[in-house]
Amino acid sequence: MYRSHTCGELRSSDINNTVTLSGWVQKVRDKGFMIWIDLRDRYGITQLIFDEERTSSALINQAKTLGREFVIQIKGTVIERASKNPNIPTGDVEILVSELQILNEALLPPFTIEDETDGGEELRMKYRYLDIRRNPVRKNLIFRSKVSMAVRNYLSNEGFIEVETPYLIKSTPEGARDFVVPSRMNAGQFYALPQSPQTFKQLLMIGGMDKYFQIVKCFRDEDLRADRQPEFTQIDCEMAFVEQEDILTAFEGLTRHLLKEINGVEIHKFPRMTFDEAMQKYGNDKPDIRFGMEFGELNEVSQHKDFNIFNQAELVVGIAIPGGNSYSRKDIDKLVEWVKRPQIGALGMVYVRCNEDGSYKSSVDKFYDQDDLATWAAKTKAKSGDLICVLSGETNKVRPQLSALRMELAERLNLRDPKVFAPLWVVDFPLLEWDEDSERYHAMHHPFTSPKPGQLELLATNPGEVKANAYDLVLNGNEIGGGSIRIHDKKTQALLFGYLGFTPEEAKAQFGFLMNAFEYGAPPHGGIAFGLDRLVAILGGQETIRDFIAFPKNNSGRDVMIDAPATIDAMQLDELNLKLNLKS
Amino acid sequence: MYRSHTCGELRSSDINNTVTLSGWVQKVRDKGFMIWIDLRDRYGITQLIFDEERTSSALINQAKTLGREFVIQIKGTVIERASKNPNIPTGDVEILVSELQILNEALLPPFTIEDETDGGEELRMKYRYLDIRRNPVRKNLIFRSKVSMAVRNYLSNEGFIEVETPYLIKSTPEGARDFVVPSRMNAGQFYALPQSPQTFKQLLMIGGMDKYFQIVKCFRDEDLRADRQPEFTQIDCEMAFVEQEDILTAFEGLTRHLLKEINGVEIHKFPRMTFDEAMQKYGNDKPDIRFGMEFGELNEVSQHKDFNIFNQAELVVGIAIPGGNSYSRKDIDKLVEWVKRPQIGALGMVYVRCNEDGSYKSSVDKFYDQDDLATWAAKTKAKSGDLICVLSGETNKVRPQLSALRMELAERLNLRDPKVFAPLWVVDFPLLEWDEDSERYHAMHHPFTSPKPGQLELLATNPGEVKANAYDLVLNGNEIGGGSIRIHDKKTQALLFGYLGFTPEEAKAQFGFLMNAFEYGAPPHGGIAFGLDRLVAILGGQETIRDFIAFPKNNSGRDVMIDAPATIDAMQLDELNLKLNLKS
């Protein structure tokens, strides 16, 4: 038996007891006549003491050989600590050691195993097993486990059944790129790893499972943007005999439960907003509504003068920065530079200072008088002391630009409080979105999403106008979940595939099994999927998902710890009926 | 809202209430003036009634159009049933329908959606979504979900943390064949899908996570034997600072909990048996101990006469079939044929009838007298009325032959009661096993398993004799879990890799990250993994894992429903820097 107690367990009530502890040497303080060691395990830290008067010199000498991160086992007596440490639960006691066994030695770790480490990202990823010993990383992983269990228990209690769907499935060109898996037993053929269990969960509904969920890994072979992982975890859910309202109610329930259980925050009813409204008010379909700074559209009140930039713009739109009139000319110039950076891409920015005396001072005073500027202030809800920032141009470009500015300013003004939770349903998404590259419409959510009742006819004339029974759950400016009511009849599905550019043959080859299934009594159904990595990060008050993944990959999709991917044997390739075809 | 109640919910107390139900048409009984419909969903069946006196003729005519598996929604009043059906919970009531909406029509299903279906395996797999509508399949999937939740709740309450380990890892030639995943971003390189999260869970222990578990998919590209799947699910567990006894106690606790919670069976202490003893007594390292028929070794009492077949055999061994003396000569001849089939491979079988009068009659009376046969009966614990079956030959061959016979006979004698649960720990497995094909030793469990203390020296002289800290949990003749205490120091691990035929370079290339990790303070650790598919099947009183998997693959590794694997686009291959290399 390696231990009678963990390192986080002993209290005053254990004084005089003999105990056995095992753990890592966190710190050695050697005063010559007295040695203190902080012994660490997952559960906490317990102080060990060796002293000349009470400890044999052999044992003291042995203790002197211990280095950081050595793994040791000790036996000793719990005694009262001379100077107590109120910061840790075991701080009232220490262990007077009588036996010491070194279970494993340790090289000096390449970075310090402390809350604030000196190790950079790359180094910590390479030695992730050491990084995990650090409190913040360990706590994040334990937190993730707790959130997963809370999700499972809630959904199980609500009658959802967790069903495991297969990982070796079939490649479909729609959507992102699949990872594929060559089949040795079926020469020349490939499985694909699922981008999501979408079709399987729909088949489960057709199979009468009624309420399904699964916490499941999904895979996308995309060029990785910052904070994206090639493998990620979804809370995947589906319900039969439901309308949109049923889904929103069910998963608002789940999210409310998590906020309460995990964060102790009670939120009664989540606000809802249409996609169009979100775009108009926040330039963004996942607005952070923890703070205001809503967009004020200014076309009406800015296109009547000789300022051609505005007159030619499809949209003139501004936001008021609270207290922004305190910015110096230089500060404002920097803001202008910030929105003109290629990542944002604005051509310029007009500003209006709202002075304390009620007057305005703008960068376009040549064109607009005080009355004009007062209407801008009214539209953007600017108050004295604020600064109005105005962008103009094509609606589809200027909205994301102003949205980026809004988020940046909120960050700078500390308006994005990680302890505040502001969930929001965004509903009525468009069914299709125009893709510039391929010059055709793509499914905005996915090709199984049903149009709003009665809008199917619009597909022929105004496809971009068709709204879908699709919804996103947004939390603090992040999309944490998204879903839709699905198509459940073959005719509509075939029509949709047609609009999405599938020939009937392609639709059949790729999704024939689903279209067939629709003919054997498919119930109305719909669902939602949450990104667990992001959900956990946000509930944990952070936004970097990598901090909540045990063994994440870097931006090239590599695991630098195990050094994967890697080359494989010629024999392995041969067995798979493959040859490398490297471009020189 | 599609329904106010499910089809399993209504009782007498609901009589006179107006309800809305949705579901599938299970059965239509049309008596002309009266129509009954069984409406089915996941939760049960509710009877609908339409009758000339109380239902409009328009509605009756609409009801007459309904076919099997149509999806409908009805409104109606709960009324008392004239002839109650005590076999279903809703059997006291029926619904007098006032509104009917067809939500989706259905083609005639290719097999009947009944507990006993007319559909063959292949057809049911192709239309698995219809198969899942059948009670037995649906119940199995719900049962699986329940077992998974019970496992998770138990382990979480015991302080285990569920940590998700990566699916895109690195290929290692040791063990079974990996499925590989070409990396587009890292040309010419491949990920592998995990055969198990073995190295990651060890790294988590080195990372101080202390107690880890995960219910996780694993992948093996093996030629499929019956009832093996290329993807399967493991309950994967690891603990730090443990000896074998700690692991056995912890997971005996889990298994005991499951037997209680899921099956209502209380088992206090699981018996233990060494590998050697299991082989000697049952010819098998996963003996079914629900029944006796233990092996009696007969060398001592059978090699003193002129019967050369026995005299030349390494092992002469028998079992007593309870009541087997009732077998006719023809029955016995059939048994002899059975053991001589190539799948079993025995060269012949000697038998001894134990007559009611205490005398014996054997197929080798020419060589052995009554006293000899009495000693055989004593060794095999045969009683009057039994039949002793004796096989002989090489120990390693004859034991599995007799074990197969024992299991076959137990099956015929109905001694394998699925309602009885007999768990057993088999411990002290050999560290290595000889592989005839490659003519070298392989790790019996895996290369990270630690030898028993003090046995490391034997490696040089008698490698086959070295016992490991390895154990299996056996339930009703099936291995449901297996694990070991791991090596946790670099030197021992390097030594083992050497014995397993790795050059130091190979060991470093494949497991360098683990060997490095051992140098930074690795704690003693060990673990176990349960095969969830099999565990669930056995707890469910069955042995076919396919019945407990939502979308299983067939014996060629194909999903016949979605028709995967399949060919992929030339462009996809090209992006992956691969070419097909098909053998003609």
Side-chain angles (χ1 to χ4, degrees), chain A residues 152-211:
Chain A
R152 284 197 162 94
N153 280 320
Y154 181 86
L155 292 176
S156 293
N157 288 337
E158 294 287 314
F160 287 81
I161 305 296
E162 185 160 28
V163 180
E164 295 174 52
T165 53
Y167 277 72
L168 296 173
I169 65 167
K170 189 156 117 173
S171 188
T172 55
E174 176 65 19
R177 213 182 273 106
D178 286 321
F179 281 105
V180 298
V181 182
S183 166
R184 184 180 52 85
M185 295 216 284
N186 303 273
Q189 301 191 349
F190 295 76
Y191 302 100
L193 299 178
Q195 293 184 29
S196 88
Q198 182 62 34
T199 47
F200 289 97
K201 69 176 174 176
Q202 294 193 238
L203 292 169
L204 286 172
M205 293 307 101
I206 297 170
M209 286 303 292
D210 207 76
K211 288 168 151 191

Side-chain angles (χ1 to χ4, degrees), chain A residues 1 3 42-43 133 159 164 167 189-191 206 210 231 233 243 519-520 557-558 566 574 577 583, chain B residues 1 3 42-43 133 159 164 167 189-191 206 210 231 233 243 520 557-558 566 574 581 583:
Chain A
M1 198 202 54
R3 58 189 176 194
R42 176 181 124 195
Y43 311 93
R133 285 190 199 155
E164 295 174 52
Y167 277 72
Q189 301 191 349
F190 295 76
Y191 302 100
I206 297 170
D210 207 76
E231 52 176 306
T233 307
E243 294 161 339
E519 295 202 290
Y520 287 100
R558 292 199 74 81
D574 192 60
N577 303 287
K583 284 89 183 174
Chain B
M1 202 201 51
R3 58 189 176 194
R42 176 182 125 194
Y43 310 92
R133 285 189 199 157
E164 296 174 52
Y167 278 73
Q189 302 193 347
F190 295 76
Y191 302 98
I206 296 171
D210 208 77
E231 51 176 307
T233 307
E243 291 160 340
Y520 288 99
R558 293 200 71 83
D574 192 60
N581 181 28
K583 283 91 183 172

Side-chain angles (χ1 to χ4, degrees), chain B residues 82-148:
Chain B
S83 70
K84 299 196 171 40
N85 179 352
N87 298 320
I88 57 172
T90 62
D92 286 350
V93 299
E94 59 192 356
I95 315 295
L96 181 65
V97 176
S98 56
E99 285 174 40
L100 164 64
Q101 201 197 339
I102 297 176
L103 299 175
N104 219 339
E105 301 193 347
L107 298 178
L108 194 69
F111 50 85
T112 54
I113 312 291
E114 304 274 358
D115 290 9
E116 299 291 331
T117 180
D118 56 356
E121 169 96 357
E122 186 77 10
L123 197 62
R124 290 193 291 111
M125 287 303 139
K126 181 159 181 204
Y127 296 90
R128 183 64 162 175
Y129 47 88
L130 297 179
D131 200 29
I132 290 174
R133 285 189 199 157
R134 296 171 51 239
N135 277 322
V137 182
R138 190 183 61 246
K139 280 185 181 157
N140 284 353
L141 296 183
I142 294 176
F143 184 78
R144 181 185 180 112
S145 173
K146 190 177 157 193
V147 173
S148 293

Side-chain angles (χ1 to χ4, degrees), chain B residues 18-33:
Chain B
T18 304
V19 297
T20 307
L21 298 183
S22 291
W24 285 265
V25 172
Q26 171 79 21
K27 206 160 57 183
V28 180
R29 270 166 304 150
D30 185 351
K31 299 275 176 198
F33 60 98

